[in-house]
Structures are given as structure tokens and as C-alpha cells.
Amino acid sequence: MPDWTWEYEGYDPDAERLRESLCTLGNGYFATRGAAPECAADSVHYPATFAAGCYNRLTSEVAGRLVENEDMVNLPNWLSLRFRTGVDGDPASWLTPRTATLIDHRLSLDLRSGTLERHVRYEDAEGRRTLVRQLRLVHMAHPHLAALRTEFTAENWSGDLDVEAAIDGAVTNAGVARYRQLNGDHLTHVHTGSAAADTVWLRCRTSTSDIRIGMAARTTVDGPLTQTSDHHSDRRAAQLLHLPLLQGDTTTVDKTVALHTSRDPAISDPLRAAVDRVGRAPGFDALLSSHRTAWRQLWRGAALDVAGDAGRILRLHLFHVLQTLSPHTADLDVGVPARGLHGEAYRGHVFWDELFVLPYLNLHFPEVSRALLRYRHRRLEQACIAARDIGRTGALYPWQSGSDGREETQQLHLNPHSGRWLPDHSRLQHHVGSAVAYNVWQYCEASGDTEFLHTKGAEMLLQIARFWASSAAYDESLGRYRIRGVVGPDEYHDAYPDAKEPGLDDNAYTNVTAAWVLTRALDVLRALPEPRRRELFERTVLDKGELDRWEDISRKLRVPFHAGVISQFDGYGDLAELNWDAYKARYGDIRRLDRILEAEGDTVNRYQASKQADVLMLGYLFSPGELRELFRRLGHDLDEQTWSRTVNYYLQRTSHGSTLSGLVHGWVLARVRRAGAWKFCREALEGDIADLQGGTTGEGIHLGAMAGTLDLVQRGLTGLETRAGALWLDPVPLPELSEYSFALRYRGHWGVRLRMRPGQLEVGVPPSDRSPITIELPDRAVSVEPGESCRLTLRDH
Ligand code: BGC
């Protein structure tokens, strides 16, 4: 069914990396890019496999400085499978798009089954045509297994075909051009061997994190086979097969692979576990069938029906979200990697992007959200150390997080336009802590998991609130608390023009979310059962005086205004206006205005020009009512006109240099029922499939934007909030996306169905012995019993 498949016809070297990212297969534990098995990494192809949370740290010298970076490691390439028609031992005779003629090439990604099919016809120098059909999977039920079936048909010849099925350990992290001057050699102690007549293995370690990796590959043939032999080299475990092909006949080669690392529970050693697992794995057909069943179950839990092209794209986004964060993630100690497990951009690091991901997961796979929050909780101590290191108290979560939760943001970044390495101040985005707190709160509201809220959740909220309180300094002259020296979500601005020190003052997004965190932390502490409150107060040495201060700060944090709009930060309105038309005319695409201006010897810090939504993020996180209440608490009347003026103001001053920006703008405009919303929603939908950020998707998908588009339908358009034990709905119309339905898991109700049509909303609650669900609309409340559904006519739609 075309709605469930993505096809790429023809071979296009320029598009290959993008297709590899979009055709990545994964299961939350590991993922493998949709690369051609017969090709090694080169300027066109980048086969790569990443296991969630598998990082390694290396030192490199750039611009005369030693810098340390932690990367998600590119693991040995299990996919490798080469073939040649002439048995002449010449390495150049392996058939690849470089060495032979590619007559046909088609990739077909089947989202329903989680498989990638490849259809290739090669012609060699002697005119021998060989049809190669491949089907691969990364198993969704058995997270350590993957499989590749290859069918060879000699179309116009008979003779020997050499096939080499290998595990290639001679891989490095080399997928991102900007990082190539950095050390990417992460694997060491590579050993290869054979475990049985049909099984080869490779084991290795990451050089500094000392993660041991074991891979085993079993290769079997259905068809005539004259000989097999093992050809191991230092870094490559290979099995060579000679297949006597008869014209028109098809021979099938199945390669089944197991991957374990020393991070896995319940194993003795990774190599042994991989060899055992591959030895016990059933044949390809059985694996395919159990894999399909697992995907069927996943799709049931995440049902989302949106008509037309948008629906097709949303399904692809959902597919990649589920491949990165699957039910298997619930067993892992991992965070939300900004670029999925699909590429090396941002080194597999964890940013604030979970803010765009967890709200979606909360209502489908709450156990996955909980695990992702536990990743943060395990690193709470590290965050407290980071706060102490800069003279504060509480928890300062890192802007970029990896293995142990220390700050992983690079010290220098390369501007490819100017070739200069520049200091990176994005670590001043302390607002990431508010994202963690927001997710704790949202998760607990959606799932009703008070056990988490009262234990780990409360600990995180408390320490994040404490950090904000210790960051806020009272300014007598203003009668307000100020948080100074930070960077907001718009990371173009990292300093005042000509300032010696980086950082900005009174970032509105930072301050309003900080006020929200302080208020929520107070709420949670009040609601704790007495013994637990006491325990927490004792353990964290919290007292009434500190809480009084939180209360005061939460009401008096400064939110700057200028020209009748909320200022992104103090002084934003004094910056120069950019001549947007002139820059667009000169450069065309000006999304990365920061790089353009730096290469011109200027700096974006001088201009009222933002990379992405910053103030407007407030309209993404909070419903209009909640936002108004937050501002009221801070002593401001945020009426509709002020918000609408603010939206307009930043709309004209944003270059959308992040995929998150289109999403937030689309969401915010839709919520204020403004024309123009669809253009941004469309941009968010097309961000990766059309590679709108100029070549970045080939380095990994943009997971936050992908999940955000799902949430745009789920919460943005419906106005869905989970609060005070009810489902609050306040749908807004978006004519281009007006009919949709989806299923939710809400507080123990599995498969709550919401169906939206213009002017009408239907809610169905599946039969169970649970309590009814209260639906709160702006003008009425209804209660829906399990086993019942109700149709609600929407006023003012
Ligand atoms: C955005 C950040 C985001 C990061 C990782 C950057 O380009 O500006 O907001 O967290 O990408 O996705």
C-alpha cells in the first residue's frame, strides 16, 4: 500500500546519504543506516551501525588546541556483503556502482513491516547481468538481531558468483564532514574468528569507555554452493562463498547477525552472547514473521490516521521515532539522541530535544518516557556537581549530554563557510533544565505515575528549581530577580555585541520557564506524603526559608518588554535591524545566518535576527490560559493583543536555522488561529524528507522535529492537555489538516480513540474496569465510561 512505503527509484550518488538516513532500520537498541551492503564508507556511501548509549571519548588537536569530544560510536559494519562475477581475486572486481554498470536500482522502505527492500541489477565488463534482491530487518522483537536476505539471479549467464559476507571492523566515525579533522578512531583490540562452519565473529572495544562489543554473523545458502571458506584479516571477519549460478536460477544467501555489548544486562560476555544468540536464531522467514508481528503491535499502540500526504509523512516520522525510542528503550540507560540512531551529527548527544519527544511518548509508551527520565535522574548528581562548579546550588543539566551526564558541548565549532574554529558558548543554554522538569511534570500528569513524581521526579524538580533560585539575583532598582549570562533557545545570540564575556541577561524563555519550575516544585513538595516530604527535606537540607525564596522568585523574575512585545532578552530591541531582503537576495538560503555573517567578518549578535523560536517557545509549551496565568503571577497582563504582537514581531526576525523552528511556529500560529500556520507545519513535515536544512539529514534525522510533528496533531491541534486528572481539549482548526484520528494510552486505558472532523470530536474509551475519563472542553465537561464513546459538537470551530 503506497501509504506505508517509501520508494527511491534510481541511483543518485548525491542523494545517497540522505536515503541512507531515511532508510535506516533500528529497534531502539541499535540501528543501521540504509546503505548498500556491497559498498564501504566513501564520499558517497556511509554504512554505519549505532547502539543506543554506546559512547567513546577522544582527544583531538584543532586550531592549535587539544579538545575532547565524546561520540556515539560507529560499530563494526555487519551489513557488508560483496559479490563478483569473475573469480579473479582482483578487489576491483567486486560489483559496486563504481566498478560495474548499475542498470536498475530501487529502494523500498516498508513502514508497516519495518523492512528495507533493495532491487539492483548489475552488468559487469563482460556484459553479465545479475539481479540482486535484498530484504533486511533490524529485529523489533529480538533487539540484538538483524538479518539480510540476498537473492542472486544470473539473468543472461551461467557461472560462478563469489559472495563475501563480512563483519567489517575497519570503521571509524567519519560521517560528518565538519568533524573530519577530529579523531574518529574509536575501536581497538579488534579480533576475528569463526564459531561454526557458517558463523564468523568479531569482537572489539571502544578505546576509552572500554565498552566491549561482540558481533557474530551466520551465513547460509539456499541453492547450489561449491565451497565456503573463512577469510579473516585483522579487522574483518569474512566468509567467502562460491555459488555456481545457472542462467535464470535464483540462489538465496541469508545473513543473520547478533550484536551484544558489555552494557547489556543478563549476559556473561558480549562475544559469547552474540555467538550463542546467532546460533539459536531461527531462519530468515521465521525472523521476518516475528519481526512483522512486533511492528504490528507497535503500530497498534501508536495508531495515527491522517489523510493524504501529511499522513504519509507523519507515518514516516513515527516510524523513525519508534526505531530510535522503542519499547526496548525502557530497559536501557539512554537519553533522546537529537539525530536519532541514524547518523553522527551532534555525536549522538542528548539536548533539550526531549521536550519535543516525551510529550508524544507519554501518551503511547509511558514506560519509555519513564526510562528516558531515569537517564536524567541517574545523572542528577553530575548535574549538581556542574552547578557547584559554577558557584550555584541545585542541578545544572548539561546542554549536551552523553554517557555520564557531564557537559559534552564542544569547546570549538567549525564554521564551514569561513573555515574558522570558533568558541562554542551554547553550553550557556541552562534552560535545558526546565525541559527536564517540564517532562517530569508532563509524564506524571499523563501517566498518573505518582510513585515516580514523589520519588525521582520530585528530586529532579527540587534540584532544578534550586538551581534557578541560586541563579536569580535580586535587583533593587528593578524590584525584580534577574538571571544573567545565559543563552536562550535561539543560539545565534550568545553575547552582547562587543562584550568580553558571553551570555545574555533576562532571557524571557529562561525566566518564564524557571518561574514555572519553581511553582511546580513548590506544588509537588506540598503534595508529598508527609514521611516522604520529611525525608526529602532532610536529605537535601531544604527548609522553609528556601521555599519562601522560591515563592518570591517565582513571582518576581524579570520578563523584559520593548515596543509592546516580550523581549527575547534584555536589550534585544536595541540591536540593529538586519536587511533580510538584501541577505536573501545575496545568499538565497539564509537559515544559517550566523555562519554567513561570521564569514563576512560580522556577527549575528549585532542583529535582531534569531535562529529559531525563543520567546515563541512559550506558546508551544503552555496553553494560552496557562501562559496568561504564568504572566499574571509574574505581574504582567499578557492579553491576546500583546501575544499576537509578539508572535508577529519574531516571525519577521527568525531565519529558521533549526528544524524545531518551523514546528514551533506552525504550532503557535495554529493555536492563535492565524493564517500562515500551514506553511510552517508543512516545513516541519518536509524538514527531513526534503532535507531542508541543506544536507544535514544525511548526517542523521532530526528526531525532535519528527516527534514534534506527531505531537502537533496530538496536542497542538486538539489543544490536548492532561491535567488535574482529566483530558482537556480545545481544538483549533487547521483547514489543511482537519480530519484525523489517533489512539492514546491514558492512565491505564489502552487505546482511547480520538477522532476529529471539522466541528466534531469523537472520543471512544475501550472496555475495562477502570474509572471513566473526564473530558473537559472550554464550554463543558463530559465523562466517558469504559466501553462507551461520545460525539461532541464543537462550538466556534
Ligand atoms: C538547535 C537546538 C537543538 C540542537 C539539536 C540545534 O540546531 O538550535 O535547539 O537542540 O540543534 O537538535
Side-chain angles (χ1 to χ4, degrees):
M1 199 203 273
D3 269 7
W4 287 86
T5 42
W6 284 76
E7 300 218 332
Y8 298 95
E9 192 66 53
Y11 176 70
D12 176 359
D14 291 339
E16 191 60 17
R17 269 182 151 67
L18 170 65
R19 293 178 184 180
E20 287 176 355
S21 284
L22 293 175
C23 292
T24 295
L25 294 183
N27 57 24
Y29 174 80
F30 80 106
T32 298
R33 288 167 59 82
E38 67 271 26
C39 297
D42 59 19
S43 57
V44 174
H45 306 98
Y46 195 65
T49 289
F50 304 101
C54 183
Y55 294 104
N56 190 57
R57 195 180 298 283
L58 290 176
T59 305
S60 316
E61 195 185 325
V62 283
R65 271 178 64 177
L66 284 183
V67 294
E68 203 182 84
N69 284 302
E70 187 177 69
D71 284 81
M72 179 167 79
V73 178
N74 179 18
L75 299 180
N77 179 18
W78 66 265
L79 197 62
S80 181
L81 191 117
R82 321 190 264 194
F83 35 89
R84 61 187 169 203
T85 38
V87 188
D88 55 10
D90 173 8
S93 64
W94 296 113
L95 299 180
T96 71
R98 267 186 215 278
T99 60
T101 309
L102 206 49
I103 306 171
D104 292 324
H105 189 269
R106 191 172 65 240
L107 277 176
S108 174
L109 178 68
D110 180 344
L111 307 182
R112 195 193 296 272
S113 312
T115 51
L116 179 65
E117 196 179 330
R118 196 164 164 257
H119 179 109
V120 190
R121 275 164 82 222
Y122 273 115
E123 185 175 271
D124 69 9
E126 274 78 52
R128 283 174 292 209
R129 286 187 176 190
T130 312
L131 170 66
V132 183
R133 280 188 53 223
Q134 293 181 308
L135 189 66
R136 77 179 78 162
L137 59 90
V138 172
H139 210 284
M140 195 42 103
H142 304 293
H144 301 280
L145 287 178
L148 170 69
R149 164 166 283 182
T150 308
E151 294 168 354
F152 295 101
T153 312
E155 288 193 339
N156 60 352
W157 61 283
S158 296
D160 278 349
L161 183 84
D162 261 9
V163 176
E164 185 217 56
I167 306 173
D168 184 3
V171 298
T172 60
N173 276 50
V176 177
R178 290 183 302 292
Y179 304 163
R180 288 221 184 109
Q181 293 176 48
L182 304 168
N183 189 352
D185 231 335
H186 293 283
L187 300 177
T188 158
H189 294 79
V190 185
H191 296 279
T192 55
S194 309
D198 57 5
T199 302
V200 299
W201 56 258
L202 182 147
R203 77 179 146 88
C204 57
R205 286 185 204 168
T206 54
S207 64
T208 59
S209 55
D210 207 16
I211 300 172
R212 285 167 295 125
I213 296 145
M215 269 192 194
R218 184 187 73 195
T219 307
T220 54
V221 176
D222 186 7
L225 170 71
T226 49
Q227 196 193 331
T228 73
S229 54
D230 294 343
H231 284 246
H232 303 317
S233 65
D234 269 7
R235 295 194 143 224
R236 191 177 172 87
Q239 198 180 350
L240 198 61
L241 317 167
H242 297 297
L243 311 180
L245 296 188
L246 276 180
Q247 182 170 346
D249 283 1
T250 297
T251 296
T252 303
V253 176
D254 287 340
K255 184 176 179 187
T256 308
V257 175
L259 161 66
H260 275 280
T261 81
S262 50
R263 299 184 79 235
D264 299 343
I267 61 163
S268 164
D269 76 89
L271 178 61
R272 175 72 192 265
V275 168
D276 283 357
R277 188 171 293 280
V278 90
R280 279 196 313 268
F284 189 88
D285 290 326
L287 281 176
L288 180 61
S289 151
S290 51
H291 173 67
R292 284 192 169 137
T293 305
W295 266 106
R296 219 176 16 251
Q297 289 165 354
L298 264 190
W299 286 119
R300 271 208 299 269
L304 171 68
D305 288 310
V306 177
D309 201 32
R312 208 168 101 77
I313 301 172
L314 285 166
R315 196 167 284 134
L316 180 76
H317 287 183
L318 185 44
F319 180 70
H320 286 302
V321 171
L322 296 176
Q323 293 200 110
T324 311
L325 303 166
S326 81
H328 300 297
T329 310
D331 281 338
L332 305 176
D333 173 34
V334 298
V336 174
R339 306 300 283 275
L341 300 172
H342 298 56
E344 289 164 9
Y346 288 129
R347 306 188 165 83
H349 291 171
V350 177
F351 296 62
W352 72 324
D353 301 45
E354 61 204 55
L355 189 56
F356 301 85
V357 178
L358 264 70
Y360 174 78
L361 292 176
N362 289 341
L363 290 162
H364 301 275
F365 304 99
E367 62 284 359
V368 175
S369 294
R370 190 183 216 265
L372 296 167
L373 290 171
R374 291 208 61 200
Y375 165 86
R376 291 298 195 176
H377 183 259
R378 288 192 196 95
R379 288 151 186 83
L380 179 59
E381 188 186 352
Q382 189 70 43
C384 291
I385 294 171
R388 239 181 13 242
D389 285 349
I390 60 161
R392 314 248 173 101
T393 54
L396 166 58
Y397 274 98
W399 173 239
Q400 295 188 27
S401 183
S403 58
D404 62 6
R406 79 179 81 167
E407 180 59 78
E408 301 291 357
T409 303
Q410 55 196 344
Q411 289 126 9
L412 299 174
H413 65 234
L414 178 71
N415 179 359
H417 293 351
S418 67
R420 276 189 285 270
W421 287 89
L422 306 160
D424 191 323
H425 300 303
S426 56
R427 68 187 60 214
L428 293 176
Q429 291 189 67
H430 296 171
H431 65 81
V432 57
S434 294
V436 174
Y438 182 88
N439 274 338
V440 166
W441 183 262
Q442 288 288 335
Y443 160 74
C444 295
E445 284 279 337
S447 64
D449 188 349
T450 39
E451 190 267 338
F452 186 83
L453 183 64
H454 291 169
T455 54
K456 300 182 169 64
E459 287 163 18
M460 286 192 274
L461 273 171
L462 181 162
Q463 297 294 7
I464 297 166
R466 187 176 247 175
F467 174 75
W468 286 134
S470 85
S471 301
Y474 192 67
D475 183 321
E476 292 283 353
S477 62
L478 295 167
R480 289 275 179 181
Y481 287 91
R482 309 186 71 185
I483 296 177
R484 311 186 70 169
V486 296
V487 170
D490 158 34
E491 51 192 27
Y492 275 0
H493 290 96
D494 64 357
Y496 286 103
D498 306 320
K500 286 205 180 58
E501 294 297 318
L504 304 155
D505 303 333
D506 308 315
N507 172 252
Y509 173 79
T510 304
N511 287 7
V512 174
T513 54
W516 180 88
V517 172
L518 288 160
T519 314
R520 287 290 88 89
L522 288 166
D523 288 349
V524 170
L525 292 176
R526 269 192 290 269
L528 286 181
E530 174 49 28
R532 172 61 181 152
R533 186 182 316 121
R534 191 156 163 203
E535 191 180 284
L536 202 57
F537 273 50
E538 282 169 7
R539 272 213 288 169
T540 56
V541 201
L542 194 66
D543 61 29
K544 169 93 174 43
E546 193 171 346
L547 298 191
D548 290 346
R549 196 174 124 80
W550 292 9
E551 176 76 36
D552 197 42
I553 297 172
S554 76
R555 293 175 182 279
K556 292 194 193 138
L557 266 165
R558 177 157 188 247
V559 182
F561 285 81
H562 71 275
V565 302
I566 304 167
S567 306
Q568 189 173 301
F569 51 80
D570 185 38
Y572 187 89
D574 302 331
L575 300 178
E577 291 283 10
L578 184 88
N579 187 342
W580 291 85
D581 291 339
Y583 272 86
K584 275 187 202 142
R586 195 169 333 150
Y587 291 97
D589 184 349
I590 58 163
R591 281 170 217 269
R592 291 312 301 263
L593 201 51
D594 57 333
R595 292 178 176 166
I596 291 175
L597 288 166
E598 195 276 333
E600 285 186 349
D602 200 346
T603 164
V604 72
N605 274 327
R606 294 206 311 117
Y607 300 98
Q608 295 192 36
S610 301
K611 178 182 184 184
Q612 65 199 88
D614 192 305
V615 175
L616 299 199
M617 274 300 299
L618 295 172
Y620 181 78
L621 294 190
F622 305 112
S623 67
E626 203 176 359
L627 193 57
R628 200 165 179 166
E629 173 54 26
L630 259 171
F631 270 76
R632 195 198 54 71
R633 208 182 139 88
L634 286 162
H636 301 284
D637 179 17
L638 184 68
D639 56 26
E640 265 179 44
Q641 290 76 17
T642 310
W643 181 244
S644 182
R645 264 199 310 276
T646 303
V647 171
N648 267 344
Y649 190 87
Y650 291 101
L651 210 52
Q652 288 159 25
R653 289 168 177 79
T654 306
S655 76
H656 308 295
S658 157
T659 50
L660 298 172
S661 195
L663 169 72
V664 176
H665 280 80
W667 179 300
V668 169
L669 290 179
R671 293 288 335 155
V672 295
R673 298 163 180 253
R674 274 270 308 277
W678 180 243
K679 171 174 163 267
F680 288 105
C681 296
R682 190 75 222 167
E683 190 158 325
L685 287 169
E686 287 182 354
D688 274 323
I689 55 163
D691 200 7
L692 291 184
Q693 296 289 336
T696 58
T697 301
E699 304 167 343
I701 53 150
H702 297 82
L703 194 72
M706 281 195 169
T709 56
L710 305 172
D711 206 28
L712 170 74
V713 178
Q714 177 173 284
R715 291 192 312 144
L717 298 185
T718 58
L720 174 68
E721 289 176 89
T722 49
R723 94 181 129 80
L727 280 183
W728 300 68
L729 290 158
D730 182 11
V732 288
L734 183 63
E736 295 84 352
L737 213 162
S738 57
E739 288 196 31
Y740 50 87
S741 71
F742 52 85
L744 299 177
R745 199 161 127 198
Y746 174 66
R747 299 198 165 207
H749 294 275
W750 290 54
V752 177
R753 193 96 203 166
L754 262 81
R755 175 184 296 278
M756 181 68 73
R757 297 208 191 100
Q760 203 177 74
L761 169 69
E762 214 175 293
V763 183
V765 180
S768 74
D769 57 3
R770 305 200 63 90
S771 331
I773 296 183
T774 306
I775 308 284
E776 297 269 2
L777 291 173
D779 55 355
R780 78 208 108 134
V782 291
S783 172
V784 190
E785 294 284 339
E788 288 188 354
S789 64
C790 74
R791 189 172 293 175
L792 301 157
T793 304
L794 300 169
R795 301 195 185 127
D796 168 41
H797 201 77

